Amino acid sequence: MKSHSSNDRPADKLPGADPIIQPDEDLDKALNELSYLDEFDQSTNETCTRYIEQLEQESEQQNNDFD
């Protein structure tokens, strides 16, 4: 999965703050934003999980070095 950043967000397709969604175009923008946020959340969680696993491995290795 690709890592996302705020620069990946398609600004021209954002519904804006507190949108009133009426036409299909606004609905598409809202769904696009929700999809982006879901992907961003998943990407962030995966990155954090990998980082935590790396730290745990390094800590375990350091503990083994001291035994």
Side-chain angles (χ1 to χ4, degrees), residues 43-61:
S43 174
T44 300
N45 285 337
E46 290 173 4
T47 299
C48 290
T49 298
R50 283 194 306 270
Y51 183 67
I52 289 168
E53 289 172 352
Q54 178 184 354
L55 291 174
E56 288 172 343
Q57 289 174 357
E58 290 174 4
S59 176
E60 186 177 308
Q61 182 62 43

Side-chain angles (χ1 to χ4, degrees), residues 15-38:
D18 299 323
I20 296 173
I21 299 172
Q22 292 180 351
D24 288 343
E25 183 180 328
D26 286 346
L27 178 58
D28 288 342
K29 288 180 182 180
L31 292 173
N32 185 46
E33 176 70 357
L34 289 172
S35 175
Y36 167 81
L37 292 173
D38 182 52

